[in-house]
Structures are given as structure tokens and as C-alpha cells.
Amino acid sequence: MTGSAGATVGGAGTEVGNSLVNRVVGSMMTKVRSAVVRGAGNDTATAGDAAARTDAGKGGADGTEGGTPVEQLLAVVRGGRAHKVPALLEPLDAAARKTALGQLKSLRSEVRGWDWKRWNEATAVRRALYVAGAGCQTGAAATATWLGGRDLLSWRSEDGTLVLSVLAGRDQAWTADVAQRLAARPAVAESSYGLIRGLVERSGCAVPATDGYVLAWTREITDARLLERLREDTHTRVLVPHALAMAETPDRLTWSVGPEAPTHWPTALATLVAEGVLDRAQVVDLCVSRLLRGGRARDLRFPLEVLRLVEPSADERRERIPDWIGMTADAPSPVAGYAQEVLAGLAADGALSAGVLAEMTGGVLFRTEKKLVRAQLTLVGKVLAREPGAVEELLPAVAEAFGHEDTAIQERALKLVGRHAAAVDASVRRELAEQAGQLSPVHRPAAAALFGSDLEVAAGVPYEEILPPVPERERVAPPATSVEALVEELLTRGRYQDSAAFERTLDGLVRLARRDRAGLEAAVREAFPAEHWEHQHYFSHHTQGLEVVLAGLLGLLPGWRVDAGRAKGNNRKACHHEALSGIMDARLWEMAGLIGTDALPFLLAAPTLHTGEIDPMVLVERLSGYREAGVEPAPVDFAQALLRVGRRDPSGARAAEEAVALGTRAGDRLAAWLRAGEPLGTRVRFLPRGKDRASQKWWLTDRTVVEIDDRPVVRKEFPAPFRWLGGELAATPRRCYHWLDTRAHWAAALPVDREFVAACVLSSLASGADADQRGVTEPLTALAEAGGPAGRAVHLAVAFGLGSQDADDRLRAVDALLVLASRGDLDARRLGTELAWLVLEGSVKPNRLADALRTTAATGAYGTVWAVLEPILPELLGAEKPVRGLGEVLAVAADCVERCGARGEVAGLDAMASARSASQFVVQAKRLSGALGRGADQPLTETV
């Protein structure tokens, strides 16, 4: 007989022998399979592996090891064989699944801690966990949470199919609940579309119209059969309306393909509207509503294209007149242009009243786009020619253009008013004359001839330059004094971008850690998920901001790692950005090692002013506190404090004397530093530009050379992360490919050496001008408000910013220019000289420069802007090749001269002004020449 239960005594020895052989062979096969899955270099087995694989017995028919059904399931999951999970789950009852779930959770936690070398193995195990855990969960919320876990989330469609199979027996309400919960989470819905769709169809629940689900649906359905698939899909009527209303339009809907392409969504939707598959009124309403809400041009392109193709009827256009007017005033240019076309058509049909047209005109004329403004003036002119009785309502709206930045627009509006002014009554005429006071001086003679005595001319009023007030030196608020207040600050992630607030939080953290370490540790453990701080690679490359200090507080950092972070220096080829950020990194590592100990009672480097500067007397008081406590300053903290102390502060001499009186080495170093008063020095130069872009010497970033002056005291007495400030870096161009989130702290690290910081960030600022990078001018505001001399590097930084491609970057440069001017630190001629060569070599585009300087002048700083332009113009006018866009620069210069009353000559201007041409360049040259040569009693000449 065979079988253990019925074994004869005589056969017992044979059966025992067979059983032993089977166990040995099974164990060996388990180890072989484990080695194959795990790969080379990962041959160590955990205790869990051994427990799951012992007593395997004979291999089953399905290839699984022996043991209980739960053990078999766990063995398959550990082996990463997700496709075998459904069959092993099927026979398990509720109790067995509950038991398995607990062990699956433990395995999930174990996998999270695996080394990166086991990545492939971990990926396979997670896939199996994803399926098995879903089948073992009982509640809908718990199942959705498991399937939505970031570590388990799968992008493989076959995994969703496996999950559907293990959830096949659940009731419809439960299935619908899971589907809706998954669809409500954007990242989950985007990656689990097939699973969610299967659950929806199985349960018969409502289609989940969420952003993530719609995004995944559009990606799934977009192919050469798009129109046909949309017709067939029962979800189309629900999901298309949501797609039209989304704040961020799905990427497939904005693909740059022509209307004839089969994947062109607007054409497909217009076809479905024509066929009656989609409701026309709903589509039009959704498109108009989305355009009214505004947003990025990319997100508005889709509803705008759909609206153009659907072509609202005359009644639909009339019903939405207020919506079109709102778009013409506030929407991005393409949307405003479309709305203007619609309203122009209604006006031509007589469906637009004079009052409504006046409202529309006032909004459009306030815009900066010249094309829209010119089109609006043309529209009003046609209406007035057809309906003379509307003159009193429309002309005051037209007069809004008298204040437009473009003098050609002003002239066009003035001529339109002049043609119809005779038909208005006295009160309207006086209103128009009052508006004419906004006209550029070049048009005022024509305005005086038109309005006569109604035009008030303020004669003899001297020009007054308007500059912003000098920024106040704001004191940094005291640090938090309670654990609750500090934790609230720590949880406010945005404060990392506010240097002063971040420093205040650091100081509070250090002080409270020494005063109540146990209480602070408990609060941090409760408020932060600290488990990932224990991972050996989490802090390998970055401090993760304050997280490294908090990890040090909780004792989660090995000593060798802290020491390495504190002592990390820079090689000679290091990037200036990394070197600047390395200062903050070294401080954080030092705090991580000393926090909560007597060696760091408080921070010496905590700034007293929002710029990062430290009052010299306050630093002396802090050193005195250290002396009384018998504590030596932490090297990195003290080095940062020295770099922040106000060397030019009036109290510096007194502070030096009191520092010496402390009788400590730190006091002597502070006194010597204050008395030397030498700024950290740099020199900036540029290599010649290459012949073409392939030369690797075309872009400014590749040609910028920063030489750091030799400072022996810095290299000898400062810690390694600071020694580059004394001249350790090689003077060679540097192109870096990293993105550092410590930019907000660069200027605050050297708050009294802004020229040095400016030199270090020039390469990134340059990329905004000639390489069209965005967001590069963030350090400019802090540089303008910081201390120290403003030399060539600071002015180059502003010049690069003024020439940036991004409008927001240019605005930050305008602010910096105005702050420097208000503080008396702006050398306008130096800035103009730098801008001249940048324009001539093509690194700065004239139209961008004109826009930035026009914005600057509009604040009332016409004299300042002219002082910048005066050295630029001779260089540009005398260029060998005509400078494209110079007409815009001349227009800004003419406006500044007319308003500030500057006089003089510009080399080469008269020759250009004498040319017989109606081009913008010649017209503005004549205007500027006339303004510069005009005497007190010389009439202005109007441009033609």
C-alpha cells in the first residue's frame, strides 16, 4: 500500500525514505528558484523566506510548493508570480484570507526596506502583492486603499485583469464603491483605468467622471479609429463634457495635429455634435464656460477649437454677449481675438447696442496686444460711420486708448475722435479733453488744436522722477517658543522658499530641542512619517531640507554620514550653484549631528534682518552666551555667522572691540573679520562667441568665466564647505544640469557680498536670456535688497533678467532695477553699456528689452530708463548690420525723453531720422531726435 495513513509496517522504511528525499529535493528546488528570481548579488535569504519555503514537499500540479493553502499563496507572492495568485485565492475562506492578509502586510513592509539592488525582485513581488492583497481585503475602503498604495500601484493592464478575476464574486454595490473610490484618486485613476472600467461595467454604476479617469480614458481611446471608438463607447456622453470642463486639458486633446488627422479631437467632437451623439447646446455651453474661466493658453486651445468647429448659431452668439465681452477684456489673446470676431459679426448685423459696444471697447483698449486694439478701433470706426447717433457713447470709450503705451495707437484713437468730436455736446467734449491729458507729448499739439481751451495743459510743472521707496530692513521675528508652534511651522512646506522664515524655524528647532528634546521628539514622530528617514539611501544625495535635522533629532542618522555631510568640500570644477547650496547643506548636517546637545544651545548664524544679515553687536552677545556656557562655536555655524555679519554696519568698530574683550578665539576671529572689512571678490569675463551653435561657445552660459579672488584666511580658517569662497574653484565656464531647491537661500548665505553671489548665478541668469529658460531670475530681488557693492556682476544679472524670454522673469528684473535705483546703487551707464553688447551679439532680443524698459518707465522712472538707454543707442545705431526690433527700443527712448525733458544728442540718430521712410524705425528715430533737440518754446512735431 502507498500513503502514510495506510502504510504497512514492512513498507514504512521505504515511505519514510521517499518522504525525506522529496523534502530534500523540494527544498533544493525552492532555493534554485529563489536564486533565479533574486539574481546575482542577492543570495541571502530572510527568515521569512525560510519559513515560507521549508517543508515544501512535492511540487503541485500548478507548480506551487506544498504546505497549507495560505503558505502556498505566500510562496507564490514571494516568488513574484502574480498570474498564479487568483487560482490560489479561490479556495480560501474568509478566515484564511484574513490570516493571509496579515502576512501579506508584513511582506509589503519588508519589501519597502529592500536594497535597490533587489529592484527587479521587489517589482515582481509588489505585483503579486497587489493582486493577492486585493483578494484578501473585505471592506471596499480597505480594498481601494490597498490598490491605490503608491508602492503597489501598477501600470500594467494585465495586473488589473488579475485583480478583476479575484474580485469576481463581490456584490455590485461593493464593486461600485471600490470603483468610485479608485476613480476619485487622480494618480490611481490614471494608472488603473482598465481595472476601474471593468469594475464599473461589472457593477453597472454611474461612470466616474473624474479628472484622473478622464485623462486615462483619453489616452486609451486616442488612435487612428478615434471617431469610430467615440461613437461606440457608452462612456463618451459622460466623459467628453467633463474633459471640456477640466482645468488642465488632457494631453491627447491638445496634440498638435491638423484637422484632417484621425486623432484630432476637436474635429471628432464636432462630427459627433453634427450626428447628434453629443448635445450641441451642452457642448457650446461647456466650451464658453471653460474659456471664461481662463487659464493657460495650452488648456484653452481645445475648447476654443471645438467652439470654432461647432460654429454657434446667431441665436447662440446673441445669448452669450456678456460672455464674449468678458473674454475680450480678460482672456488670453487667441480667445479674446475669437470673441472679438463674434462681437464684430453681431455689430455688423446690428445686434450690438452702442452701450454694449462701448463696454467692450473699454475692455479691449486696456489690453496691450496692438492687433486687438487696432481691430477694435477699426470696428468702432465702422459702427460710427453707420450709426452717427452712437458717437456720445462710443467716443469716451475710444479715449481710453489715449493712455496706451504705443504712440501709434494713441494717434489712431485721436484721429478717430477728431473725425466725430464735432457731433458731441459740451460735457462729452470736456470728458474727451480730460482724457487727452494721457497722450504722449508728441500728440499734445494735435490734441490742443482739436480741443482748444477745453484741454488743460499743465505748463511749467517740473518733471519729478518716481521711484519706489527704499525697502525697509525688516527684523526677523523671534523663534517659536512652544513645541506646538514650532511643529506648525515645520509642517508649512512653503516656508522653505522664504529664507527668513526658514532661518527662524531652524533657530527655534535648535533652541527647543535643547530645552525639551523628549517633547519635541514625540511631536515630530506624531507629525511626520519618519520611517523613510531610516532608509540608508534617503539622505545620500540631498538633505531634504529640514528633514535631515529632524532625523538627527530622532537619532536615525549614522555618525559617519553626519560627519561626511559636515566636511564635504568642493572640487575645483564644482558648479557655483552646488557650492552655494553646499553652505546650507553643511549647516543642516552639522545641526543634525549636534541638535539637542549642549554643543549647540542656539544658532550663531540666525539672521537678525530679512536679508540674512546679522547685527554685529548681536553676534557679540551670542558669542558671550557661548563663553558663559563653556561651549565652543560649531565650525560651520560660526563660519556662516561671520559671512553674515554686517561689516559695513556703523556699530562694527564697537563690536570688534567688545569681541576682543571676550577673550576667546571666536571673539578674536570676529574682530579680525570686522576690521578687515574686505568683501569676497570676483571678476567676470566672457569668452568670444563661437561661429555657430555647434561650437560649444555660442551660449552665454558656456562663455561666462568667474574668477574668485584669493582669500587665504577663508581657505585656512573656514570649514571645507566654505573654502571655495577663498579661490579654490577653477575659473572656467560651467554648464550645470541640476535643479536645486535652495535658490532662495543663496543671497542670504552671503547677504553683505551680493556682487559675489551675482557672479555665481550669472550662468543660470544668462540661460533665461539666450536659451529661453524660465524662472531663473528668482535670486534678483534678494540681490537688489542685499548689502555690499553693486559692481559689474550685479548689473550683468539685471541685464540678463531684462532680456529674459519669460515675462515673469523680466518683471523680477524690473523690480530689481527699481530697487537698486531707489537705494542709489544703480549705475545706469554701466547697465546700458552691458546691455549694448548683449543686444549686438544677439544674446538679448531688442523687443524683450523694450518691453522690460517700457514697464520700468511706466512706474514713473522715465529719467532712470533714459539714463540706461542713452549709452545703448549709439552702439545699436552704429551697428554694421541693422538691429531688428530697434524701433521698439527707440519708441521707449522717445517716450522717456518727452516725459522727463532730457536734452542732448545721440550719435547716429540724426542720420537715421533724416531717412525718407514710413517704417517704425525711422518714425521713432524722428520722434526721438525731435524730442532731444526741442527747446523750451519749440513746438513738438507729430509723427506720421
Side-chain angles (χ1 to χ4, degrees), residues 836-865:
W837 71 263
L838 288 169
V839 172
L840 285 174
E841 75 164 18
S843 294
V844 168
K845 305 290 189 296
N847 61 325
R848 297 176 185 173
L849 175 61
D851 175 74
L853 293 180
R854 186 185 299 113
T855 302
T856 308
T859 65
Y862 295 100
T864 299
V865 173

mmCIF file of all heavy atoms in Angstrom, residues 836-865:
data_model
loop_
_atom_site.group_PDB
_atom_site.id
_atom_site.type_symbol
_atom_site.label_atom_id
_atom_site.label_comp_id
_atom_site.label_asym_id
_atom_site.label_seq_id
_atom_site.Cartn_x
_atom_site.Cartn_y
_atom_site.Cartn_z
ATOM 1 N N ALA A 836 24.197 96.930 -24.273
ATOM 2 C CA ALA A 836 24.530 97.222 -25.672
ATOM 3 C C ALA A 836 25.237 96.040 -26.328
ATOM 4 O O ALA A 836 24.845 95.590 -27.415
ATOM 5 C CB ALA A 836 25.385 98.479 -25.751
ATOM 6 N N TRP A 837 26.274 95.503 -25.688
ATOM 7 C CA TRP A 837 26.999 94.402 -26.332
ATOM 8 C C TRP A 837 26.178 93.124 -26.329
ATOM 9 O O TRP A 837 26.292 92.298 -27.250
ATOM 10 C CB TRP A 837 28.373 94.192 -25.702
ATOM 11 C CG TRP A 837 28.431 93.616 -24.325
ATOM 12 C CD1 TRP A 837 28.556 94.285 -23.159
ATOM 13 C CD2 TRP A 837 28.421 92.213 -23.971
ATOM 14 N NE1 TRP A 837 28.599 93.415 -22.089
ATOM 15 C CE2 TRP A 837 28.533 92.133 -22.571
ATOM 16 C CE3 TRP A 837 28.329 91.037 -24.702
ATOM 17 C CZ2 TRP A 837 28.535 90.931 -21.876
ATOM 18 C CZ3 TRP A 837 28.331 89.832 -24.019
ATOM 19 C CH2 TRP A 837 28.441 89.783 -22.622
ATOM 20 N N LEU A 838 25.317 92.963 -25.333
ATOM 21 C CA LEU A 838 24.459 91.774 -25.312
ATOM 22 C C LEU A 838 23.455 91.797 -26.466
ATOM 23 O O LEU A 838 23.172 90.762 -27.074
ATOM 24 C CB LEU A 838 23.718 91.696 -23.971
ATOM 25 C CG LEU A 838 24.567 91.313 -22.759
ATOM 26 C CD1 LEU A 838 23.798 91.529 -21.465
ATOM 27 C CD2 LEU A 838 25.035 89.858 -22.862
ATOM 28 N N VAL A 839 22.926 92.980 -26.772
ATOM 29 C CA VAL A 839 21.999 93.100 -27.896
ATOM 30 C C VAL A 839 22.739 92.909 -29.220
ATOM 31 O O VAL A 839 22.263 92.210 -30.120
ATOM 32 C CB VAL A 839 21.273 94.463 -27.868
ATOM 33 C CG1 VAL A 839 20.462 94.669 -29.147
ATOM 34 C CG2 VAL A 839 20.358 94.553 -26.652
ATOM 35 N N LEU A 840 23.898 93.520 -29.335
ATOM 36 C CA LEU A 840 24.634 93.448 -30.592
ATOM 37 C C LEU A 840 25.045 92.021 -30.946
ATOM 38 O O LEU A 840 25.034 91.633 -32.114
ATOM 39 C CB LEU A 840 25.874 94.339 -30.525
ATOM 40 C CG LEU A 840 25.617 95.843 -30.642
ATOM 41 C CD1 LEU A 840 26.897 96.628 -30.420
ATOM 42 C CD2 LEU A 840 25.009 96.171 -32.010
ATOM 43 N N GLU A 841 25.398 91.214 -29.948
ATOM 44 C CA GLU A 841 25.804 89.848 -30.260
ATOM 45 C C GLU A 841 24.606 88.911 -30.365
ATOM 46 O O GLU A 841 24.759 87.739 -30.700
ATOM 47 C CB GLU A 841 26.784 89.324 -29.219
ATOM 48 C CG GLU A 841 26.167 88.951 -27.893
ATOM 49 C CD GLU A 841 27.114 88.080 -27.055
ATOM 50 O OE1 GLU A 841 28.310 88.067 -27.344
ATOM 51 O OE2 GLU A 841 26.613 87.412 -26.132
ATOM 52 N N GLY A 842 23.413 89.412 -30.065
ATOM 53 C CA GLY A 842 22.209 88.607 -30.236
ATOM 54 C C GLY A 842 21.764 87.847 -29.009
ATOM 55 O O GLY A 842 20.783 87.104 -29.067
ATOM 56 N N SER A 843 22.439 88.012 -27.887
ATOM 57 C CA SER A 843 22.050 87.286 -26.680
ATOM 58 C C SER A 843 20.788 87.868 -26.050
ATOM 59 O O SER A 843 20.011 87.141 -25.425
ATOM 60 C CB SER A 843 23.189 87.303 -25.653
ATOM 61 O OG SER A 843 24.299 86.578 -26.130
ATOM 62 N N VAL A 844 20.585 89.163 -26.181
ATOM 63 C CA VAL A 844 19.377 89.824 -25.682
ATOM 64 C C VAL A 844 18.597 90.353 -26.878
ATOM 65 O O VAL A 844 19.148 91.068 -27.714
ATOM 66 C CB VAL A 844 19.716 90.970 -24.707
ATOM 67 C CG1 VAL A 844 18.489 91.834 -24.430
ATOM 68 C CG2 VAL A 844 20.263 90.404 -23.403
ATOM 69 N N LYS A 845 17.304 89.996 -26.946
ATOM 70 C CA LYS A 845 16.451 90.435 -28.042
ATOM 71 C C LYS A 845 15.939 91.848 -27.758
ATOM 72 O O LYS A 845 15.454 92.126 -26.654
ATOM 73 C CB LYS A 845 15.265 89.486 -28.210
ATOM 74 C CG LYS A 845 15.651 88.027 -28.398
ATOM 75 C CD LYS A 845 16.304 87.806 -29.741
ATOM 76 C CE LYS A 845 16.480 86.319 -30.026
ATOM 77 N NZ LYS A 845 17.386 85.645 -29.096
ATOM 78 N N PRO A 846 16.023 92.769 -28.744
ATOM 79 C CA PRO A 846 15.567 94.154 -28.525
ATOM 80 C C PRO A 846 14.108 94.261 -28.096
ATOM 81 O O PRO A 846 13.770 95.120 -27.283
ATOM 82 C CB PRO A 846 15.801 94.808 -29.888
ATOM 83 C CG PRO A 846 16.901 94.016 -30.508
ATOM 84 C CD PRO A 846 16.669 92.613 -30.069
ATOM 85 N N ASN A 847 13.235 93.401 -28.635
ATOM 86 C CA ASN A 847 11.820 93.522 -28.267
ATOM 87 C C ASN A 847 11.591 93.170 -26.796
ATOM 88 O O ASN A 847 10.750 93.776 -26.125
ATOM 89 C CB ASN A 847 10.970 92.632 -29.175
ATOM 90 C CG ASN A 847 11.315 91.162 -29.061
ATOM 91 O OD1 ASN A 847 12.470 90.794 -28.871
ATOM 92 N ND2 ASN A 847 10.321 90.300 -29.185
ATOM 93 N N ARG A 848 12.343 92.191 -26.263
ATOM 94 C CA ARG A 848 12.220 91.853 -24.842
ATOM 95 C C ARG A 848 12.762 92.984 -23.983
ATOM 96 O O ARG A 848 12.166 93.342 -22.956
ATOM 97 C CB ARG A 848 12.973 90.557 -24.544
ATOM 98 C CG ARG A 848 12.428 89.345 -25.278
ATOM 99 C CD ARG A 848 13.304 88.117 -25.009
ATOM 100 N NE ARG A 848 12.880 86.953 -25.788
ATOM 101 C CZ ARG A 848 13.540 85.812 -25.845
ATOM 102 N NH1 ARG A 848 14.681 85.684 -25.159
ATOM 103 N NH2 ARG A 848 13.095 84.794 -26.575
ATOM 104 N N LEU A 849 13.889 93.543 -24.396
ATOM 105 C CA LEU A 849 14.457 94.657 -23.641
ATOM 106 C C LEU A 849 13.507 95.840 -23.653
ATOM 107 O O LEU A 849 13.302 96.501 -22.619
ATOM 108 C CB LEU A 849 15.807 95.050 -24.253
ATOM 109 C CG LEU A 849 16.486 96.278 -23.649
ATOM 110 C CD1 LEU A 849 16.776 96.060 -22.167
ATOM 111 C CD2 LEU A 849 17.773 96.603 -24.404
ATOM 112 N N ALA A 850 12.909 96.132 -24.810
ATOM 113 C CA ALA A 850 11.973 97.252 -24.905
ATOM 114 C C ALA A 850 10.779 97.037 -23.983
ATOM 115 O O ALA A 850 10.326 97.970 -23.310
ATOM 116 C CB ALA A 850 11.511 97.423 -26.350
ATOM 117 N N ASP A 851 10.274 95.822 -23.941
ATOM 118 C CA ASP A 851 9.133 95.530 -23.065
ATOM 119 C C ASP A 851 9.493 95.762 -21.604
ATOM 120 O O ASP A 851 8.720 96.371 -20.849
ATOM 121 C CB ASP A 851 8.692 94.087 -23.277
ATOM 122 C CG ASP A 851 7.593 93.673 -22.321
ATOM 123 O OD1 ASP A 851 6.442 94.099 -22.504
ATOM 124 O OD2 ASP A 851 7.886 92.909 -21.366
ATOM 125 N N ALA A 852 10.669 95.284 -21.195
ATOM 126 C CA ALA A 852 11.078 95.446 -19.794
ATOM 127 C C ALA A 852 11.287 96.919 -19.441
ATOM 128 O O ALA A 852 10.850 97.388 -18.379
ATOM 129 C CB ALA A 852 12.355 94.648 -19.536
ATOM 130 N N LEU A 853 11.948 97.654 -20.324
ATOM 131 C CA LEU A 853 12.210 99.066 -20.030
ATOM 132 C C LEU A 853 10.934 99.896 -20.115
ATOM 133 O O LEU A 853 10.774 100.874 -19.377
ATOM 134 C CB LEU A 853 13.268 99.608 -20.990
ATOM 135 C CG LEU A 853 14.672 99.001 -20.816
ATOM 136 C CD1 LEU A 853 15.646 99.615 -21.811
ATOM 137 C CD2 LEU A 853 15.170 99.221 -19.386
ATOM 138 N N ARG A 854 10.019 99.528 -20.988
ATOM 139 C CA ARG A 854 8.728 100.219 -21.045
ATOM 140 C C ARG A 854 7.967 100.032 -19.736
ATOM 141 O O ARG A 854 7.370 100.976 -19.207
ATOM 142 C CB ARG A 854 7.900 99.693 -22.220
ATOM 143 C CG ARG A 854 6.595 100.458 -22.452
ATOM 144 C CD ARG A 854 5.767 99.812 -23.546
ATOM 145 N NE ARG A 854 6.450 99.797 -24.821
ATOM 146 C CZ ARG A 854 6.874 98.703 -25.440
ATOM 147 N NH1 ARG A 854 6.669 97.510 -24.890
ATOM 148 N NH2 ARG A 854 7.485 98.776 -26.598
ATOM 149 N N THR A 855 8.000 98.814 -19.216
ATOM 150 C CA THR A 855 7.347 98.542 -17.934
ATOM 151 C C THR A 855 8.004 99.339 -16.813
ATOM 152 O O THR A 855 7.322 99.877 -15.935
ATOM 153 C CB THR A 855 7.432 97.030 -17.614
ATOM 154 O OG1 THR A 855 6.817 96.291 -18.669
ATOM 155 C CG2 THR A 855 6.748 96.716 -16.307
ATOM 156 N N THR A 856 9.320 99.416 -16.835
ATOM 157 C CA THR A 856 10.042 100.198 -15.824
ATOM 158 C C THR A 856 9.655 101.672 -15.896
ATOM 159 O O THR A 856 9.381 102.312 -14.878
ATOM 160 C CB THR A 856 11.558 100.055 -16.018
ATOM 161 O OG1 THR A 856 11.910 98.669 -16.085
ATOM 162 C CG2 THR A 856 12.318 100.705 -14.873
ATOM 163 N N ALA A 857 9.636 102.216 -17.099
ATOM 164 C CA ALA A 857 9.316 103.634 -17.275
ATOM 165 C C ALA A 857 7.896 103.939 -16.839
ATOM 166 O O ALA A 857 7.622 105.011 -16.276
ATOM 167 C CB ALA A 857 9.519 104.030 -18.733
ATOM 168 N N ALA A 858 6.976 103.012 -17.077
ATOM 169 C CA ALA A 858 5.571 103.248 -16.752
ATOM 170 C C ALA A 858 5.349 103.430 -15.260
ATOM 171 O O ALA A 858 4.314 103.975 -14.844
ATOM 172 C CB ALA A 858 4.723 102.092 -17.259
ATOM 173 N N THR A 859 6.303 103.025 -14.427
ATOM 174 C CA THR A 859 6.170 103.265 -12.983
ATOM 175 C C THR A 859 6.478 104.708 -12.611
ATOM 176 O O THR A 859 6.298 105.100 -11.455
ATOM 177 C CB THR A 859 7.120 102.342 -12.198
ATOM 178 O OG1 THR A 859 8.478 102.690 -12.499
ATOM 179 C CG2 THR A 859 6.885 100.885 -12.563
ATOM 180 N N GLY A 860 6.955 105.490 -13.583
ATOM 181 C CA GLY A 860 7.322 106.883 -13.319
ATOM 182 C C GLY A 860 8.811 107.121 -13.359
ATOM 183 O O GLY A 860 9.277 108.235 -13.104
ATOM 184 N N ALA A 861 9.589 106.076 -13.702
ATOM 185 C CA ALA A 861 11.054 106.189 -13.713
ATOM 186 C C ALA A 861 11.557 106.487 -15.119
ATOM 187 O O ALA A 861 12.486 105.831 -15.610
ATOM 188 C CB ALA A 861 11.672 104.909 -13.168
ATOM 189 N N TYR A 862 10.991 107.504 -15.783
ATOM 190 C CA TYR A 862 11.383 107.817 -17.157
ATOM 191 C C TYR A 862 12.839 108.287 -17.240
ATOM 192 O O TYR A 862 13.567 107.919 -18.164
ATOM 193 C CB TYR A 862 10.457 108.894 -17.735
ATOM 194 C CG TYR A 862 9.027 108.429 -17.865
ATOM 195 C CD1 TYR A 862 8.072 108.779 -16.919
ATOM 196 C CD2 TYR A 862 8.647 107.626 -18.927
ATOM 197 C CE1 TYR A 862 6.761 108.345 -17.030
ATOM 198 C CE2 TYR A 862 7.331 107.187 -19.058
ATOM 199 C CZ TYR A 862 6.388 107.556 -18.095
ATOM 200 O OH TYR A 862 5.102 107.117 -18.212
ATOM 201 N N GLY A 863 13.266 109.071 -16.274
ATOM 202 C CA GLY A 863 14.641 109.550 -16.279
ATOM 203 C C GLY A 863 15.641 108.424 -16.093
ATOM 204 O O GLY A 863 16.705 108.392 -16.734
ATOM 205 N N THR A 864 15.304 107.480 -15.212
ATOM 206 C CA THR A 864 16.192 106.335 -14.972
ATOM 207 C C THR A 864 16.332 105.485 -16.231
ATOM 208 O O THR A 864 17.438 105.071 -16.604
ATOM 209 C CB THR A 864 15.642 105.483 -13.814
ATOM 210 O OG1 THR A 864 15.596 106.277 -12.623
ATOM 211 C CG2 THR A 864 16.512 104.263 -13.573
ATOM 212 N N VAL A 865 15.208 105.231 -16.886
ATOM 213 C CA VAL A 865 15.242 104.408 -18.092
ATOM 214 C C VAL A 865 16.032 105.114 -19.194
ATOM 215 O O VAL A 865 16.812 104.482 -19.921
ATOM 216 C CB VAL A 865 13.816 104.066 -18.554
ATOM 217 C CG1 VAL A 865 13.836 103.357 -19.909
ATOM 218 C CG2 VAL A 865 13.114 103.194 -17.522
#
